[in-house]
Every structure is written in C-alpha cells, then in structure tokens.
Amino acid sequence: MAADQETMLQILNAVPQQRPFRFIDEILELDENHIVGTYRFREDEFFYKGHFPGRPVTPGVILIETMAQTGVVAFGLYLLMSQNKAS
C-alpha cells in the first residue's frame, strides 16, 4: 500500500543528513517496493565553486550520495517504520 503524504513527510524529516549535505527535497512515491524522490541541484551548491569554472559538473560521488539518501536512508527508514508497526 502506498504511503500517504504525512508518512512521506515524516520519513523525510527523519533523514539524518542536513543541509548542505542533504540531497532529498521531496518524496513523490513510496510503498513497500519502491521510492521516488527529487532533488534540484542549485547553481550555488557548495561543490560547484571552483569545479570547472564557468561550466561546473555535478561530481559523481554527489550523484551517488543523492541516490543513497533516497534509496537507502529514506526507503530504509520507511521499511523499518512499517516493520515496527506490524510488530
């Protein structure tokens, strides 16, 4: 069963990473099988300063961190929360 907006917000608020190293803006979809989250990379992100000046590129490690925060941390928190409710 899909999570409601309140649950998705609760999970988002439980993610321990905080700015400037939090790379989840919103959870769009969440159920026991998948999660879809968003993050908008802003022009003033700390890691763009000095990174290919004038043509910055998002470092691959940041892209992986973004996926991990959504797919491991947020989704894992949801699964743990669901498991605890079922117990």
Side-chain angles (χ1 to χ4, degrees):
M1 186 162 116
D4 58 25
Q5 283 297 119
E6 183 178 331
T7 299
M8 289 189 279
L9 186 58
Q10 183 181 11
I11 295 299
L12 190 60
N13 289 332
V15 171
Q17 290 87 350
Q18 297 298 309
R19 296 213 181 275
F21 212 77
R22 180 188 212 149
F23 301 112
I24 309 172
D25 286 331
E26 184 179 11
I27 297 173
L28 302 175
E29 298 176 18
L30 179 60
D31 65 30
E32 61 278 350
N33 295 308
H34 85 289
I35 186 169
V36 176
T38 64
Y39 183 76
R40 182 179 64 83
F41 289 95
R42 294 149 186 90
E43 289 183 26
D44 65 345
E45 298 284 3
F46 71 93
F47 46 82
Y48 289 141
K49 291 178 176 76
H51 192 259
F52 297 104
R55 294 177 183 231
V57 175
T58 303
V61 69
I62 299 294
L63 296 174
I64 292 169
E65 179 68 23
T66 302
M67 292 184 284
Q69 286 183 20
T70 302
V72 176
V73 179
F75 189 52
L77 287 168
Y78 175 70
L79 294 176
L80 284 172
M81 187 178 85
S82 297
Q83 184 179 29
N84 288 339
K85 283 184 180 179
S87 299

